[in-house]
Amino acid sequence: DAGVTQSPTHLIKTRGQQVTLRCSPISGHKSVSWYQQVLGQGPQFIFQYYEKEERGRGNFPDRFSARQFPNYSSELNVNALLLGDSALYLCASSLGWTGYYEQYFGPGTRLTVT
Amino acid sequence: ELKVEQNPLFLSMQEGKNYTIYCNYSTTSDRLYWYRQDPGKSLESLFVLLSNGAVKQEGRLMASLDTKARLSTLHITAAVHDLSATYFCAVDFSRDYGGSQGNLIFGKGTKLSVKP
């Protein structure tokens, strides 16, 4: 079975631009979470979505937004990019939205802001 | 504040030696994960520890959880070069695993380098 997939793999953007990252969960998984991993740090939770509803939000500015589609895929949008947004963005999927369910991580999207 | 602290952050080992990575966390949790990450890659799940006293082993790695001490350890036995990677512990602090969102708080990671 296919695991979590993310696109694109790599992305280079300029400060002030906007970016959209995409994630497809494991088949049958209804929850998607997004994490940001800055170089040398552990991943930080950004959002969790389940059945198209936001279930959790981390401590990130309003420039970050996300949504989930009826097929459970998800997009993460970041507006007005800053240099500090350069990071590996990880998507994780799980069967349900509560802590009972293990999250499975995708390969990530490497975003570089210049 | 929900915190997860790992130590050491950097670990240089010789092949064949044993060592332990420690993961401390700030408040009650019964759900802890260990991941491996190779440079430029995503997270590979190693262990899921779900209760006090849980111990799991896979090859040269063994993980344990002491929820009373809020401590997990990842023990490396007879290290080999292929174990060189960054290891993360992550804790789920959900108060009600059946009724509240799951999100993971990660430690900063332990960068392990195994040298011949």
Side-chain angles (χ1 to χ4, degrees), chain A residues 37 55-56 97-100 106, chain B residues 31 37 42 97 100-102 104:
Chain A
Q37 186 180 18
R55 290 289 185 169
W97 65 279
T98 68
Y100 180 79
Chain B
R31 207 162 273 258
Q37 188 175 42
S42 187
Y97 297 121
S100 61
Q101 68 167 90
L104 300 175

Side-chain angles (χ1 to χ4, degrees), chain B residues 49-77:
Chain B
L49 303 171
L50 300 178
S51 61
N52 187 41
V55 177
K56 291 197 174 179
Q57 183 164 5
E58 180 73 34
R60 300 174 188 275
L61 302 177
M62 183 174 72
S64 65
L65 178 62
D66 181 344
T67 57
K68 293 180 181 178
R70 300 175 190 164
L71 171 68
S72 180
T73 60
L74 180 66
H75 187 72
I76 303 157
T77 301

Side-chain angles (χ1 to χ4, degrees), chain A residues 30-34 45-69 73-77 97-98, chain B residues 100-103:
Chain A
K30 298 183 178 180
S31 177
V32 169
S33 296
W34 287 94
F45 172 71
I46 310 174
F47 286 111
Q48 183 186 35
Y49 275 78
Y50 177 75
E51 294 279 14
K52 297 183 292 179
E53 289 189 6
E54 182 184 302
R55 290 289 185 169
R57 172 185 287 253
N59 188 23
F60 279 80
D62 292 343
R63 299 185 296 108
F64 289 76
S65 63
R67 56 180 175 167
Q68 186 177 33
F69 300 97
S73 67
S74 178
E75 287 182 351
L76 175 71
N77 294 284
W97 65 279
T98 68
Chain B
S100 61
Q101 68 167 90
N103 88 67

Side-chain angles (χ1 to χ4, degrees), chain B residues 11-55:
Chain B
L11 180 54
S12 181
M13 297 177 63
Q14 279 193 315
E15 280 192 331
K17 298 292 187 182
N18 304 332
Y19 210 85
T20 301
I21 299 171
Y22 297 90
C23 175
N24 293 275
Y25 52 96
S26 58
T27 191
T28 303
S29 172
D30 291 331
R31 207 162 273 258
L32 188 140
Y33 300 81
W34 283 97
Y35 294 92
R36 168 180 171 147
Q37 188 175 42
D38 291 297
K41 304 294 186 182
S42 187
L43 299 171
E44 174 190 351
S45 179
L46 295 175
F47 300 109
V48 181
L49 303 171
L50 300 178
S51 61
N52 187 41
V55 177

Side-chain angles (χ1 to χ4, degrees), chain B residues 8 10-14 19 111-115:
Chain B
F10 297 93
L11 180 54
S12 181
M13 297 177 63
Q14 279 193 315
Y19 210 85
K111 186 170 183 179
L112 173 65
S113 174
V114 181
K115 301 182 178 180

